[in-house]
Amino acid sequence: MRREAIGALQRVIGFDRWCWPLADPETLLPCSGLAEHDFGPAVPRSLELEYSGNDFAAKHVLARRINSAGSLSGETSGDLARSPRWDEVMRPVGIGDVAAAACRDALGCWGWIEAYRDNADRPFEEEDLDLLAEVATSMGSALRRTAMGPGDGSVLEPIPPGMIVLDRDLRRVSWTAGARAWIDALPSAKLFARFGMLPSVVYPAATLARSGSTAARAHALLRAVDGRWAMIEAAPLEGYGEGEIAISLRAATAAETFRLLCRVYALSQREREVVELLVIGLDTRAVTERLFISPHTVQDHLKSVFDKIGIHSRRELLAKLSATAAAN
């Protein structure tokens, strides 16, 4: 779906290199993505600079503002060197202007489209950004609807939690066997290894972790290639090794994946409460007593939940939730 959209945009707007990462809608950290560019080994540094708070047209900034698309040329008034990310990472490989748009809908941001023009090409224009934003908005809803992915409900062999320690320059100092196992299970593991880098989400998470104002957002929920859900968390270490960052990798809890499911399917607060009570084994009568609503209202909420998720019964609902939890 993303590659087809990129192909259409390339024909209309004009660019060769691009990147399309998915997003954790809660923390706005980039997770797994697709890309065709030639600064792969410098991706860690690019993300560090972008999420340090000192760059232009940054992904997490575009996701929050009213105008969801921007370009480096537009935001730097044509002086691209004002962007540390461009000056250090993109200029050396011949990239000129960069345009980006947040793929978002009313329920959150689900990814970003980034397009790169060569340094000999003209900058992106307003009409280019308008089209990019329009496509990104449509793709935001599409990415949300596919965010949970297929699941067969199979129970996977558990992977123990892992830990990685990074130095102040975000280079690996040490790691556990569990961390290696989790890294191997995440998307693009072989590509990361070829570049000598960790999963790309690690670098913006580590950058936020050492920033006091944004440290609480230094985590991301992402799906492994085998369907299980992983939680990546970053926190600064204290004591010896000033500036070091600890990265933990673990199985996401059922509560964490349930929160994402509720967002993906746009469940209301009351619908969520009804589903939570059904999951713990309450019947309709017990739900009505707990929530002080009528049996008819419970059924109305369930019908709405079924329509949103695309199922037809409580059994299918519990199977859907069980499949999501089992993948942990």
Side-chain angles (χ1 to χ4, degrees):
M1 181 173 63
R2 282 179 282 170
R3 288 187 181 279
E4 290 180 4
I6 284 291
L9 285 169
Q10 286 177 317
R11 290 190 294 272
V12 177
I13 295 178
F15 57 89
D16 292 322
R17 292 175 275 190
W18 57 274
C19 180
W20 196 329
L22 302 179
D24 180 320
E26 180 181 346
T27 62
L28 300 180
L29 288 182
C31 300
S32 60
L34 301 173
E36 289 187 10
H37 59 62
D38 43 12
F39 60 91
V43 164
R45 181 59 176 159
S46 175
L47 290 169
E48 180 186 4
L49 292 169
E50 183 174 13
Y51 277 77
S52 66
N54 299 316
D55 204 26
F56 298 89
K59 287 188 279 291
H60 56 301
V61 174
L62 294 175
R64 293 191 182 100
R65 74 184 194 188
I66 295 175
N67 182 7
S68 64
S71 68
L72 287 185
S73 62
E75 300 199 7
T76 64
S77 299
D79 184 5
L80 300 181
R82 293 174 60 195
S83 164
R85 174 171 49 122
W86 181 85
D87 195 40
E88 185 174 334
V89 175
M90 298 178 178
R91 186 214 296 255
V93 296
I95 291 177
D97 198 13
V98 178
C103 302
R104 68 184 188 194
D105 60 12
L107 297 167
C109 176
W110 306 93
W112 298 269
I113 307 173
E114 286 189 338
Y116 313 115
R117 279 189 173 155
D118 294 345
N119 54 16
D121 296 337
R122 62 178 175 82
F124 288 99
E125 300 175 351
E126 283 300 318
E127 52 264 37
D128 298 326
L129 298 181
D130 289 342
L131 178 58
L132 200 62
E134 184 177 350
V135 171
T137 298
S138 298
M139 290 298 295
S141 295
L143 292 176
R144 173 176 58 82
R145 290 193 295 270
T146 59
M148 299 307 295
D152 58 11
S154 60
V155 178
L156 302 170
E157 188 70 22
I159 299 178
M163 182 71 67
I164 303 170
V165 176
L166 306 180
D167 65 15
R168 62 186 309 119
D169 297 318
L170 304 188
R171 294 174 300 199
R172 260 185 300 191
V173 174
S174 57
W175 58 92
T176 64
R180 186 183 301 276
W182 273 112
I183 289 172
D184 290 343
L186 295 179
S188 303
K190 292 182 179 179
L191 177 64
F192 297 144
R194 193 167 70 218
F195 291 143
M197 61 181 282
L198 296 166
S200 55
V201 67
V202 165
Y203 303 101
T207 300
L208 295 183
R210 59 189 178 192
S211 173
S213 61
T214 55
R217 304 182 71 85
H219 60 88
L221 180 67
L222 65 157
R223 196 175 183 89
V225 294
D226 58 11
R228 74 180 80 227
W229 287 92
M231 176 60 75
I232 313 297
E233 299 168 302
L237 290 172
E238 298 181 356
Y240 180 77
E242 182 179 355
E244 291 185 338
I245 302 292
I247 306 294
S248 68
L249 304 94
R250 61 171 175 82
T253 66
E256 289 164 342
T257 54
F258 181 65
R259 285 201 300 271
L260 177 61
L261 182 143
C262 290
R263 184 192 286 259
V264 166
Y265 293 113
L267 302 191
S268 69
Q269 182 61 36
R270 184 58 98 185
E271 289 167 351
R272 173 175 175 164
E273 292 170 350
V274 169
V275 172
E276 285 179 321
L277 294 178
L278 291 176
V279 169
I280 64 174
L282 274 61
D283 59 15
T284 299
R285 178 177 178 180
V287 172
T288 63
E289 293 175 351
R290 182 74 64 89
L291 298 180
F292 302 103
I293 56 179
S294 71
H296 180 73
T297 301
V298 171
Q299 295 305 319
D300 283 345
H301 286 312
L302 284 178
K303 183 178 183 302
S304 176
V305 170
F306 296 164
D307 289 342
K308 290 178 179 180
I309 298 180
I311 56 178
H312 304 91
S313 68
R314 296 191 189 194
R315 178 176 296 178
E316 288 182 89
L317 173 63
L318 296 177
K320 178 74 173 179
L321 296 173
S322 296
T324 301
N328 298 335

